[in-house]
Amino acid sequence: MNDQDLRRYSAITGSCYINAPYDQLQQGLLEFFVQHRLQPEIGLEGDCLWNADRDAFQATADILKKNGLNCTLHAPFFDLAPGGIDPKIREITRAKLRLAFDLLPVFQPRSIVCHLGYEENKHSYKMEQWLRYSLETWRELLETAARNNTSVMFENTFEKTPDIHHRLLTEINSPFLRFCLDTGHLAAYAGTPWQLWLDRLLPWLGQLHLHDNKGQRDDHIAIGHGLFNFRELFDFLRSNKIRPIITLEPHTREDLWLSLESMEKNKLLEDIIN
């Protein structure tokens, strides 16, 4: 990727966010993002929330600010259970999520994306318990988000339908709570079309996670190189004048450039840029 290519895609990269694990930012990725003027969606997975001190996070935030780069955050989700039945597991989950939300005043992100941790084959048998504990978790965290004027985005992951998202969004009923549609998770896990999801959740749609796959694994390959019909989705957004926050989630640099190429070729962001 040369300077001419970067200028070519600057309208896209200046309007989107790119997934960037915090640990990788500390290992050279931050310089790459600054060099190419890419705006990160900072992933807080792994042990960084336990081990990195606030000054380290602040230093990263200061570099982004100095270079005029905004960001979003992605809260941790591996091994966590926001609606967990076991009180000890639930408390460690909340402790880790609190650490993520405590970084809102540091990074001042446009949003923080969260996973519900809901799996139908397990949690449907104890739905009311799961729902009660989940509501407790998110209502507490939303108080922090509201104080920092930051939107919380509930992302679809393993859920087959939008029902549980709709129930939580409706019951919490916060202006700071929105929905993030993840295109790759629809293809790999849900097996249901985006139309079903937006038919129920369109009033809450605030963000998109864009990546592709072949419908078998969550491969995070380039946009347009898998099964998902991105043109159809963006035509719908355009016709309804919906302009969500957009995050690209390729897992390699090659797939990032291929995604940018596909977005430009298909004019996906035309009249969509927020």
Side-chain angles (χ1 to χ4, degrees):
M1 179 62 60
N2 57 40
D3 290 342
Q4 183 176 356
D5 291 326
L6 291 173
R7 287 193 295 271
R8 174 181 175 185
Y9 297 128
S10 62
I12 299 175
T13 57
S15 304
C16 295
Y17 298 86
I18 313 295
N19 66 301
Y22 177 79
D23 288 343
Q24 293 184 30
L25 289 174
Q26 301 306 106
Q27 297 166 7
L29 188 62
L30 181 58
E31 289 80 0
F32 174 80
F33 269 62
V34 170
Q35 176 188 355
H36 296 307
R37 298 205 54 76
L38 305 176
Q39 302 185 112
E41 178 161 300
I42 301 172
L44 299 172
E45 201 55 76
D47 59 6
C48 66
L49 289 169
W50 303 127
N51 296 334
D53 60 31
R54 194 177 181 88
D55 288 344
F57 288 116
Q58 187 65 63
T60 300
D62 289 345
I63 291 171
L64 293 174
K65 184 176 180 179
K66 178 182 177 181
N67 288 277
L69 298 173
N70 295 320
C71 71
T72 57
L73 293 182
H74 196 304
F77 60 94
F78 272 101
D79 302 324
L80 301 186
I85 307 302
D86 186 308
K88 292 185 177 180
I89 292 174
R90 193 166 64 247
E91 184 49 43
I92 199 69
T93 294
R94 291 175 180 177
K96 193 171 189 180
L97 289 172
R98 288 184 195 114
L99 291 174
F101 276 68
D102 285 346
L103 294 177
L104 296 183
V106 173
F107 287 102
Q108 299 178 356
R110 287 194 64 192
S111 69
I112 180 167
V113 179
C114 300
H115 292 233
L116 302 182
Y118 178 80
E119 297 180 50
E120 176 75 18
N121 61 328
K122 293 191 298 186
H123 301 124
S124 61
Y125 295 97
K126 293 183 180 291
M127 172 59 75
E128 293 309 313
Q129 284 179 279
W130 182 92
L131 183 65
R132 181 171 74 255
Y133 296 138
S134 187
L135 288 170
E136 290 174 0
T137 297
W138 297 117
R139 281 173 172 150
E140 176 195 330
L141 295 167
L142 274 160
E143 291 179 4
T144 302
R147 286 196 301 271
N148 291 279
N149 197 32
T150 303
S151 293
V152 176
M153 304 286 179
F154 280 171
E155 175 184 347
N156 60 293
T157 315
F158 299 117
E159 301 86 2
K160 303 293 186 182
T161 74
D163 293 349
I164 194 64
H165 286 80
H166 187 272
R167 187 162 182 184
L168 285 169
L169 289 162
T170 301
E171 294 206 23
I172 296 174
N173 190 29
S174 167
F176 293 96
L177 184 58
R178 310 288 299 280
F179 171 61
C180 173
L181 180 72
D182 187 297
T183 58
H185 293 167
L186 287 182
Y189 302 134
T192 48
W194 63 264
Q195 292 91 337
L196 171 70
W197 289 76
L198 293 192
D199 182 59
R200 298 287 306 280
L201 303 179
L202 187 60
W204 292 280
L205 181 65
Q207 190 160 343
L208 299 175
H209 273 182
L210 304 181
H211 54 107
D212 215 341
N213 59 66
K214 304 292 186 179
Q216 298 174 333
R217 290 174 52 86
D218 187 25
D219 293 317
H220 285 258
I221 61 175
I223 290 170
H225 289 252
L227 299 178
F228 194 86
N229 190 328
F230 289 93
R231 184 188 296 275
E232 188 177 55
L233 172 61
F234 276 87
D235 283 347
F236 171 83
L237 298 174
R238 190 174 296 109
S239 65
N240 285 277
K241 296 181 170 54
I242 299 168
R243 296 177 173 84
I245 297 170
I246 294 173
T247 297
L248 309 182
E249 285 200 314
H251 278 187
T252 67
R253 293 186 186 183
E254 179 183 3
D255 280 323
L256 170 58
W257 306 133
L258 289 172
S259 291
L260 294 172
E261 180 181 46
S262 178
M263 293 180 78
E264 183 197 50
K265 178 181 178 181
N266 293 287
K267 299 181 179 180
L268 293 184
L269 289 189
E270 194 170 74
D271 298 324
I272 297 291
I273 292 174
N274 184 353

